[in-house]
Amino acid sequence: RSLFKTYHPLGILLFGLGMAQVIASIQVYLSNKELHRTLAALYDAGYLVVPNLLVINRLQEFWPAFWGGLFFTCSIGAGISLASMVAGWIWSSLCGRNRLVLFLFLSIWGGVLLIFNIHGFTLLPSLYCALIAPILFLLTERWATLLAAGTTKRHRWLHIIAIPLLALLWFTQFDAELFVDLRDNLLLSNSPGKKFNQFYYRYTLYPAESFKSLDQKLIRTCTLEDITNPTLEKRIINRLLAHDYLPVPGAFVTDLKINLKDNDLVFSDNDRIILKINVQQFFARPQKTFQKFSEATDRHGAFRQFTYLSLVAGFPVLIYSLLHFSLYYLGSLFVDQKRSAILASLMCLLVGILVLIYFQSNRSSNIQIKNIDEALNSDNLPERIAALKLIHQKKMDVLNYRSYPGLLRSPHPRERYWLAVAMAVSRNPKTYADLLKFLDDKNTNVRTMAYQSLSIHNNRQAIKPILEKIRTSRDWYDQLYAYKALRSLGWKQRQLP
């Protein structure tokens, strides 16, 4: 009972996150095992695989699944945990444990479970909601009931008012460039942020692979059955390869199985017929057919949406809770617990506002550039980045500016990143050689943007060095962008004999 009387609910939140981490680790581990099986079969069949063997060997290890699982823990885990805690607090503190309100919350809970499984049963994604939500609701209700005995409604509102205020203030910054600017200004601007950024890009593709639709996957597998016409079979295979559906011989369970029945192609998923289409219609619009098949077999669409919303809303509140916890216990050394909790909320509000001011003032979209040449030589880093963005937007050649050699040697990864972006529109032959050098940059973001800029240049000379990078790189994210660059340059997987 005394445990629940504490004025800080972080312990309940961490319990929910611990449950989420167990589910997430299992989810990513099983996905990694399946991906390993698929990639091993493709490699044995003679295809170029991404990730390469250096990464494939890690797919059966525990730690990539554990660290990759943190993505789900800090997104969907945090979102469901916080939503359940808010619901428990509202029911106990504001609604007097009203049964109608409880029925409403139970309906929402059941509705979310239904949405998660509406296109097919998904066990592990459902467990986040099925297990975490009711447990944290009950724990929070118990905590809020005991806490209410010693506080007034005014005090209870003071504890949480900073969160909606900060959400409203930060919402003013929401646009298409928000996440890129957050990375540039809050992560790549300091050493701890750079380490977090590196960690994120090293492990994020493991969880991402576990809930992608077929359209979102880089490489898909398929088999062809009952197609006796060699010419037709070859035409179908060429279409499949052009869309990265790789035919695999034998009894391997694939993403797509195609049979010919009369003059129709039958598309199946695990022996479940998904769609039928006339042969000529397929050849006329293969992309649309593959898209329809992907949509019909996608069981994780709702889970992806909830994960994204949780990342946008839940993760910031998680950071807020950790900061509030630290400030609360620091303040409790000098004042009583009630005052310490309120002071911690006010301090979190102040910190959030100060970070917002810093972030907003350094957004390149808020910096006016009158002279690009002068801006590129400025001592102000955000001004130089704003100039590079302007060069890219206006499709100007960055090599025409005298500061270009110095920009190549910039110690700031975000500046090199935006330089690589600007180099995409340059038509100077020297750009090609400099972009190849950027493929060895120590920062993942710079390397991936160099691959993307090389693909925009459409210089097929880049195919050979990019292929070499795919085979030797230890970074899955690098290989992802390298493969996309290859495909943009016209390269495709070879048809097997």
Side-chain angles (χ1 to χ4, degrees), residues 95-125:
C95 298
R97 302 164 61 87
N98 184 282
R99 290 186 178 182
L100 182 61
V101 175
L102 178 61
F103 177 77
L104 175 63
F105 286 143
L106 287 173
S107 299
I108 294 173
W109 176 58
V112 172
L113 282 172
L114 178 63
I115 291 172
F116 275 9
N117 295 280
I118 199 166
H119 293 295
F121 180 64
T122 55
L123 174 61
L124 289 168

Side-chain angles (χ1 to χ4, degrees), residues 459-473:
N459 185 345
R460 290 181 60 84
Q461 284 184 304
I463 290 178
K464 185 176 180 180
I466 291 176
L467 279 170
E468 182 61 25
K469 288 295 181 183
I470 288 179
R471 294 188 177 100
T472 59
S473 171

Side-chain angles (χ1 to χ4, degrees), residues 74-250:
C74 295
S75 54
I76 191 73
I80 289 179
S81 296
L82 289 165
S84 305
M85 292 174 68
V86 169
W89 181 82
I90 289 174
W91 187 58
S92 177
S93 298
L94 301 184
C95 298
R97 302 164 61 87
N98 184 282
R99 290 186 178 182
L100 182 61
V101 175
L102 178 61
F103 177 77
L104 175 63
F105 286 143
L106 287 173
S107 299
I108 294 173
W109 176 58
V112 172
L113 282 172
L114 178 63
I115 291 172
F116 275 9
N117 295 280
I118 199 166
H119 293 295
F121 180 64
T122 55
L123 174 61
L124 289 168
S126 298
L127 287 180
Y128 292 100
C129 188
L131 294 181
I132 297 172
I135 292 175
L136 262 65
F137 180 91
L138 293 173
L139 288 175
T140 305
E141 181 274 328
R142 178 67 171 163
W143 167 79
T145 300
L146 293 173
L147 180 63
T151 60
T152 64
K153 277 192 176 183
R154 181 171 62 88
H155 279 93
R156 294 196 290 273
W157 275 109
L158 284 173
H159 290 315
I160 66 166
I161 193 64
I163 295 176
L165 284 176
L166 285 174
L168 288 172
L169 290 171
W170 274 90
F171 186 76
T172 62
Q173 300 299 307
F174 199 90
D175 57 29
E177 299 295 325
L178 175 62
F179 291 106
V180 174
D181 286 344
L182 284 172
R183 182 202 64 195
D184 286 354
N185 296 320
L186 299 185
L187 294 181
L188 295 183
S189 61
N190 57 86
S191 181
K194 290 176 184 176
K195 290 180 180 178
F196 178 85
N197 186 73
Q198 183 180 8
F199 177 88
Y200 174 83
Y201 284 107
R202 181 177 181 182
Y203 290 107
T204 190
L205 289 180
Y206 293 99
E209 196 68 29
S210 70
F211 69 164
K212 284 181 177 179
S213 66
L214 278 179
D215 265 355
Q216 294 171 327
K217 290 186 177 183
L218 196 67
I219 296 173
R220 283 79 66 165
T221 58
C222 64
T223 53
L224 281 76
E225 296 182 357
D226 304 325
I227 301 177
T228 56
N229 186 328
T231 303
L232 176 60
E233 183 181 37
K234 185 175 181 180
R235 287 185 66 196
I236 294 173
I237 289 175
N238 285 333
R239 288 293 189 276
L240 290 167
L241 292 173
H243 292 84
D244 289 306
Y245 278 86
L246 308 185
V248 180

Side-chain angles (χ1 to χ4, degrees), residues 36-49:
H36 180 274
R37 183 183 70 88
T38 299
L39 292 173
L42 289 173
Y43 180 80
D44 291 341
Y47 291 111
L48 175 70
V49 293

